[in-house]
PDB file of all heavy atoms in Angstrom:
ATOM      1  N   ALA A1290      10.282 -12.981   7.406  1.00  0.00           N
ATOM      2  CA  ALA A1290       9.221 -12.114   6.875  1.00  0.00           C
ATOM      3  C   ALA A1290       8.997 -10.915   7.795  1.00  0.00           C
ATOM      4  O   ALA A1290       8.809  -9.785   7.326  1.00  0.00           O
ATOM      5  CB  ALA A1290       7.930 -12.912   6.718  1.00  0.00           C
ATOM      6  N   ASP A1291       9.008 -11.158   9.106  1.00  0.00           N
ATOM      7  CA  ASP A1291       8.838 -10.066  10.069  1.00  0.00           C
ATOM      8  C   ASP A1291       9.981  -9.057   9.967  1.00  0.00           C
ATOM      9  O   ASP A1291       9.775  -7.846  10.085  1.00  0.00           O
ATOM     10  CB  ASP A1291       8.761 -10.620  11.498  1.00  0.00           C
ATOM     11  CG  ASP A1291       7.456 -11.336  11.775  1.00  0.00           C
ATOM     12  OD1 ASP A1291       6.488 -11.106  11.030  1.00  0.00           O
ATOM     13  OD2 ASP A1291       7.398 -12.123  12.746  1.00  0.00           O
ATOM     14  N   GLU A1292      11.187  -9.566   9.744  1.00  0.00           N
ATOM     15  CA  GLU A1292      12.343  -8.675   9.600  1.00  0.00           C
ATOM     16  C   GLU A1292      12.211  -7.826   8.342  1.00  0.00           C
ATOM     17  O   GLU A1292      12.500  -6.624   8.355  1.00  0.00           O
ATOM     18  CB  GLU A1292      13.636  -9.499   9.556  1.00  0.00           C
ATOM     19  CG  GLU A1292      13.986 -10.150  10.885  1.00  0.00           C
ATOM     20  CD  GLU A1292      15.160 -11.099  10.783  1.00  0.00           C
ATOM     21  OE1 GLU A1292      15.670 -11.302   9.645  1.00  0.00           O
ATOM     22  OE2 GLU A1292      15.572 -11.646  11.824  1.00  0.00           O
ATOM     23  N   LEU A1293      11.774  -8.449   7.250  1.00  0.00           N
ATOM     24  CA  LEU A1293      11.569  -7.694   6.017  1.00  0.00           C
ATOM     25  C   LEU A1293      10.488  -6.638   6.187  1.00  0.00           C
ATOM     26  O   LEU A1293      10.602  -5.516   5.693  1.00  0.00           O
ATOM     27  CB  LEU A1293      11.184  -8.640   4.871  1.00  0.00           C
ATOM     28  CG  LEU A1293      12.300  -9.427   4.190  1.00  0.00           C
ATOM     29  CD1 LEU A1293      11.714 -10.319   3.119  1.00  0.00           C
ATOM     30  CD2 LEU A1293      13.336  -8.489   3.600  1.00  0.00           C
ATOM     31  N   LEU A1294       9.416  -7.014   6.891  1.00  0.00           N
ATOM     32  CA  LEU A1294       8.325  -6.082   7.124  1.00  0.00           C
ATOM     33  C   LEU A1294       8.807  -4.883   7.922  1.00  0.00           C
ATOM     34  O   LEU A1294       8.509  -3.730   7.592  1.00  0.00           O
ATOM     35  CB  LEU A1294       7.198  -6.799   7.873  1.00  0.00           C
ATOM     36  CG  LEU A1294       5.811  -6.169   7.821  1.00  0.00           C
ATOM     37  CD1 LEU A1294       5.267  -6.179   6.403  1.00  0.00           C
ATOM     38  CD2 LEU A1294       4.859  -6.914   8.746  1.00  0.00           C
ATOM     39  N   SER A1295       9.579  -5.139   8.967  1.00  0.00           N
ATOM     40  CA  SER A1295      10.088  -4.063   9.814  1.00  0.00           C
ATOM     41  C   SER A1295      11.062  -3.162   9.063  1.00  0.00           C
ATOM     42  O   SER A1295      11.160  -1.962   9.340  1.00  0.00           O
ATOM     43  CB  SER A1295      10.781  -4.654  11.050  1.00  0.00           C
ATOM     44  OG  SER A1295       9.884  -5.415  11.818  1.00  0.00           O
ATOM     45  N   TYR A1296      11.783  -3.747   8.111  1.00  0.00           N
ATOM     46  CA  TYR A1296      12.800  -2.993   7.379  1.00  0.00           C
ATOM     47  C   TYR A1296      12.216  -2.153   6.246  1.00  0.00           C
ATOM     48  O   TYR A1296      12.871  -1.242   5.745  1.00  0.00           O
ATOM     49  CB  TYR A1296      13.830  -3.967   6.796  1.00  0.00           C
ATOM     50  CG  TYR A1296      14.899  -3.308   5.954  1.00  0.00           C
ATOM     51  CD1 TYR A1296      15.892  -2.521   6.545  1.00  0.00           C
ATOM     52  CD2 TYR A1296      14.902  -3.456   4.569  1.00  0.00           C
ATOM     53  CE1 TYR A1296      16.866  -1.899   5.771  1.00  0.00           C
ATOM     54  CE2 TYR A1296      15.873  -2.840   3.788  1.00  0.00           C
ATOM     55  CZ  TYR A1296      16.854  -2.072   4.399  1.00  0.00           C
ATOM     56  OH  TYR A1296      17.809  -1.461   3.633  1.00  0.00           O
ATOM     57  N   SER A1297      10.979  -2.413   5.883  1.00  0.00           N
ATOM     58  CA  SER A1297      10.436  -1.833   4.647  1.00  0.00           C
ATOM     59  C   SER A1297      10.465  -0.309   4.634  1.00  0.00           C
ATOM     60  O   SER A1297      10.791   0.298   3.614  1.00  0.00           O
ATOM     61  CB  SER A1297       9.009  -2.338   4.395  1.00  0.00           C
ATOM     62  OG  SER A1297       8.139  -1.948   5.435  1.00  0.00           O
ATOM     63  N   ASP A1298      10.143   0.339   5.752  1.00  0.00           N
ATOM     64  CA  ASP A1298      10.125   1.803   5.758  1.00  0.00           C
ATOM     65  C   ASP A1298      11.543   2.380   5.683  1.00  0.00           C
ATOM     66  O   ASP A1298      11.763   3.444   5.095  1.00  0.00           O
ATOM     67  CB  ASP A1298       9.391   2.320   6.988  1.00  0.00           C
ATOM     68  CG  ASP A1298       7.881   2.139   6.867  1.00  0.00           C
ATOM     69  OD1 ASP A1298       7.395   1.859   5.748  1.00  0.00           O
ATOM     70  OD2 ASP A1298       7.180   2.259   7.891  1.00  0.00           O
ATOM     71  N   THR A1299      12.509   1.683   6.283  1.00  0.00           N
ATOM     72  CA  THR A1299      13.905   2.094   6.140  1.00  0.00           C
ATOM     73  C   THR A1299      14.333   1.989   4.685  1.00  0.00           C
ATOM     74  O   THR A1299      15.008   2.872   4.142  1.00  0.00           O
ATOM     75  CB  THR A1299      14.815   1.205   7.008  1.00  0.00           C
ATOM     76  OG1 THR A1299      14.414   1.319   8.369  1.00  0.00           O
ATOM     77  CG2 THR A1299      16.275   1.614   6.872  1.00  0.00           C
ATOM     78  N   PHE A1300      13.914   0.906   4.052  1.00  0.00           N
ATOM     79  CA  PHE A1300      14.195   0.703   2.630  1.00  0.00           C
ATOM     80  C   PHE A1300      13.643   1.856   1.792  1.00  0.00           C
ATOM     81  O   PHE A1300      14.331   2.403   0.925  1.00  0.00           O
ATOM     82  CB  PHE A1300      13.581  -0.624   2.192  1.00  0.00           C
ATOM     83  CG  PHE A1300      13.285  -0.731   0.721  1.00  0.00           C
ATOM     84  CD1 PHE A1300      14.272  -1.042  -0.187  1.00  0.00           C
ATOM     85  CD2 PHE A1300      11.993  -0.524   0.255  1.00  0.00           C
ATOM     86  CE1 PHE A1300      13.988  -1.144  -1.536  1.00  0.00           C
ATOM     87  CE2 PHE A1300      11.696  -0.629  -1.093  1.00  0.00           C
ATOM     88  CZ  PHE A1300      12.702  -0.939  -1.985  1.00  0.00           C
ATOM     89  N   VAL A1301      12.394   2.238   2.063  1.00  0.00           N
ATOM     90  CA  VAL A1301      11.766   3.311   1.289  1.00  0.00           C
ATOM     91  C   VAL A1301      12.549   4.614   1.442  1.00  0.00           C
ATOM     92  O   VAL A1301      12.830   5.310   0.458  1.00  0.00           O
ATOM     93  CB  VAL A1301      10.304   3.516   1.740  1.00  0.00           C
ATOM     94  CG1 VAL A1301       9.722   4.763   1.107  1.00  0.00           C
ATOM     95  CG2 VAL A1301       9.470   2.296   1.382  1.00  0.00           C
ATOM     96  N   GLY A1302      12.925   4.943   2.678  1.00  0.00           N
ATOM     97  CA  GLY A1302      13.696   6.162   2.914  1.00  0.00           C
ATOM     98  C   GLY A1302      15.040   6.132   2.212  1.00  0.00           C
ATOM     99  O   GLY A1302      15.490   7.149   1.661  1.00  0.00           O
ATOM    100  N   SER A1303      15.676   4.962   2.194  1.00  0.00           N
ATOM    101  CA  SER A1303      16.981   4.831   1.548  1.00  0.00           C
ATOM    102  C   SER A1303      16.876   5.051   0.039  1.00  0.00           C
ATOM    103  O   SER A1303      17.732   5.696  -0.567  1.00  0.00           O
ATOM    104  CB  SER A1303      17.570   3.447   1.823  1.00  0.00           C
ATOM    105  OG  SER A1303      17.788   3.264   3.202  1.00  0.00           O
ATOM    106  N   VAL A1304      15.818   4.504  -0.561  1.00  0.00           N
ATOM    107  CA  VAL A1304      15.655   4.667  -2.011  1.00  0.00           C
ATOM    108  C   VAL A1304      15.371   6.119  -2.358  1.00  0.00           C
ATOM    109  O   VAL A1304      15.917   6.665  -3.321  1.00  0.00           O
ATOM    110  CB  VAL A1304      14.553   3.744  -2.556  1.00  0.00           C
ATOM    111  CG1 VAL A1304      14.321   3.996  -4.043  1.00  0.00           C
ATOM    112  CG2 VAL A1304      14.931   2.287  -2.339  1.00  0.00           C
ATOM    113  N   PHE A1305      14.529   6.779  -1.558  1.00  0.00           N
ATOM    114  CA  PHE A1305      14.263   8.201  -1.808  1.00  0.00           C
ATOM    115  C   PHE A1305      15.565   9.004  -1.737  1.00  0.00           C
ATOM    116  O   PHE A1305      15.820   9.881  -2.563  1.00  0.00           O
ATOM    117  CB  PHE A1305      13.265   8.753  -0.787  1.00  0.00           C
ATOM    118  CG  PHE A1305      11.836   8.661  -1.240  1.00  0.00           C
ATOM    119  CD1 PHE A1305      10.918   7.908  -0.530  1.00  0.00           C
ATOM    120  CD2 PHE A1305      11.405   9.333  -2.365  1.00  0.00           C
ATOM    121  CE1 PHE A1305       9.596   7.816  -0.942  1.00  0.00           C
ATOM    122  CE2 PHE A1305      10.079   9.253  -2.793  1.00  0.00           C
ATOM    123  CZ  PHE A1305       9.177   8.490  -2.075  1.00  0.00           C
ATOM    124  N   SER A1306      16.413   8.680  -0.762  1.00  0.00           N
ATOM    125  CA  SER A1306      17.685   9.392  -0.621  1.00  0.00           C
ATOM    126  C   SER A1306      18.582   9.135  -1.826  1.00  0.00           C
ATOM    127  O   SER A1306      19.318  10.015  -2.263  1.00  0.00           O
ATOM    128  CB  SER A1306      18.400   8.938   0.658  1.00  0.00           C
ATOM    129  OG  SER A1306      17.637   9.280   1.798  1.00  0.00           O
ATOM    130  N   SER A1307      18.512   7.926  -2.360  1.00  0.00           N
ATOM    131  CA  SER A1307      19.381   7.563  -3.479  1.00  0.00           C
ATOM    132  C   SER A1307      19.052   8.354  -4.732  1.00  0.00           C
ATOM    133  O   SER A1307      19.880   8.479  -5.631  1.00  0.00           O
ATOM    134  CB  SER A1307      19.283   6.070  -3.773  1.00  0.00           C
ATOM    135  OG  SER A1307      18.101   5.754  -4.490  1.00  0.00           O
ATOM    136  N   PHE A1308      17.824   8.900  -4.823  1.00  0.00           N
ATOM    137  CA  PHE A1308      17.443   9.655  -6.013  1.00  0.00           C
ATOM    138  C   PHE A1308      18.321  10.898  -6.195  1.00  0.00           C
ATOM    139  O   PHE A1308      18.411  11.458  -7.273  1.00  0.00           O
ATOM    140  CB  PHE A1308      15.980  10.089  -5.935  1.00  0.00           C
ATOM    141  CG  PHE A1308      15.012   8.946  -6.089  1.00  0.00           C
ATOM    142  CD1 PHE A1308      13.678   9.122  -5.763  1.00  0.00           C
ATOM    143  CD2 PHE A1308      15.421   7.716  -6.545  1.00  0.00           C
ATOM    144  CE1 PHE A1308      12.768   8.081  -5.898  1.00  0.00           C
ATOM    145  CE2 PHE A1308      14.529   6.667  -6.684  1.00  0.00           C
ATOM    146  CZ  PHE A1308      13.204   6.850  -6.356  1.00  0.00           C
ATOM    147  N   LYS A1309      18.960  11.332  -5.107  1.00  0.00           N
ATOM    148  CA  LYS A1309      19.816  12.512  -5.190  1.00  0.00           C
ATOM    149  C   LYS A1309      21.246  12.149  -5.565  1.00  0.00           C
ATOM    150  O   LYS A1309      22.091  13.012  -5.739  1.00  0.00           O
ATOM    151  CB  LYS A1309      19.802  13.261  -3.858  1.00  0.00           C
ATOM    152  CG  LYS A1309      18.436  13.826  -3.497  1.00  0.00           C
ATOM    153  CD  LYS A1309      18.500  14.620  -2.214  1.00  0.00           C
ATOM    154  CE  LYS A1309      17.148  15.235  -1.882  1.00  0.00           C
ATOM    155  NZ  LYS A1309      17.179  16.042  -0.654  1.00  0.00           N
ATOM    156  N   GLY A1310      21.541  10.851  -5.632  1.00  0.00           N
ATOM    157  CA  GLY A1310      22.894  10.421  -5.934  1.00  0.00           C
ATOM    158  C   GLY A1310      22.939   9.512  -7.134  1.00  0.00           C
ATOM    159  O   GLY A1310      22.160   9.637  -8.079  1.00  0.00           O
ATOM    160  N   ASP A1311      23.852   8.550  -7.088  1.00  0.00           N
ATOM    161  CA  ASP A1311      24.035   7.587  -8.177  1.00  0.00           C
ATOM    162  C   ASP A1311      23.091   6.421  -7.950  1.00  0.00           C
ATOM    163  O   ASP A1311      23.372   5.521  -7.178  1.00  0.00           O
ATOM    164  CB  ASP A1311      25.488   7.110  -8.198  1.00  0.00           C
ATOM    165  CG  ASP A1311      25.768   6.183  -9.382  1.00  0.00           C
ATOM    166  OD1 ASP A1311      24.795   5.726 -10.020  1.00  0.00           O
ATOM    167  OD2 ASP A1311      26.945   5.932  -9.659  1.00  0.00           O
ATOM    168  N   VAL A1312      21.958   6.439  -8.636  1.00  0.00           N
ATOM    169  CA  VAL A1312      20.924   5.439  -8.403  1.00  0.00           C
ATOM    170  C   VAL A1312      21.431   4.027  -8.654  1.00  0.00           C
ATOM    171  O   VAL A1312      21.178   3.116  -7.878  1.00  0.00           O
ATOM    172  CB  VAL A1312      19.702   5.718  -9.305  1.00  0.00           C
ATOM    173  CG1 VAL A1312      18.656   4.628  -9.139  1.00  0.00           C
ATOM    174  CG2 VAL A1312      19.105   7.078  -8.951  1.00  0.00           C
ATOM    175  N   ALA A1313      22.176   3.835  -9.719  1.00  0.00           N
ATOM    176  CA  ALA A1313      22.630   2.496 -10.068  1.00  0.00           C
ATOM    177  C   ALA A1313      23.481   1.887  -8.965  1.00  0.00           C
ATOM    178  O   ALA A1313      23.477   0.676  -8.754  1.00  0.00           O
ATOM    179  CB  ALA A1313      23.433   2.538 -11.367  1.00  0.00           C
ATOM    180  N   ASN A1314      24.222   2.714  -8.243  1.00  0.00           N
ATOM    181  CA  ASN A1314      25.091   2.199  -7.191  1.00  0.00           C
ATOM    182  C   ASN A1314      24.406   2.103  -5.846  1.00  0.00           C
ATOM    183  O   ASN A1314      24.822   1.346  -4.978  1.00  0.00           O
ATOM    184  CB  ASN A1314      26.326   3.093  -7.042  1.00  0.00           C
ATOM    185  CG  ASN A1314      27.263   2.949  -8.224  1.00  0.00           C
ATOM    186  OD1 ASN A1314      27.320   1.901  -8.848  1.00  0.00           O
ATOM    187  ND2 ASN A1314      27.984   4.012  -8.546  1.00  0.00           N
ATOM    188  N   GLU A1315      23.352   2.881  -5.620  1.00  0.00           N
ATOM    189  CA  GLU A1315      22.795   2.994  -4.289  1.00  0.00           C
ATOM    190  C   GLU A1315      21.500   2.226  -4.059  1.00  0.00           C
ATOM    191  O   GLU A1315      21.163   1.918  -2.921  1.00  0.00           O
ATOM    192  CB  GLU A1315      22.561   4.479  -3.944  1.00  0.00           C
ATOM    193  CG  GLU A1315      23.863   5.272  -3.856  1.00  0.00           C
ATOM    194  CD  GLU A1315      23.612   6.705  -3.457  1.00  0.00           C
ATOM    195  OE1 GLU A1315      22.778   6.934  -2.554  1.00  0.00           O
ATOM    196  OE2 GLU A1315      24.223   7.604  -4.047  1.00  0.00           O
TER     197      GLU A1315
END
Side-chain angles (χ1 to χ4, degrees):
D1291 288 341
E1292 290 173 357
L1293 281 179
L1294 199 65
S1295 299
Y1296 177 71
S1297 62
D1298 286 346
T1299 301
F1300 156 81
V1301 171
S1303 297
V1304 176
F1305 268 118
S1306 296
S1307 78
F1308 289 166
K1309 296 183 178 181
D1311 184 347
V1312 176
N1314 289 331
E1315 295 183 42

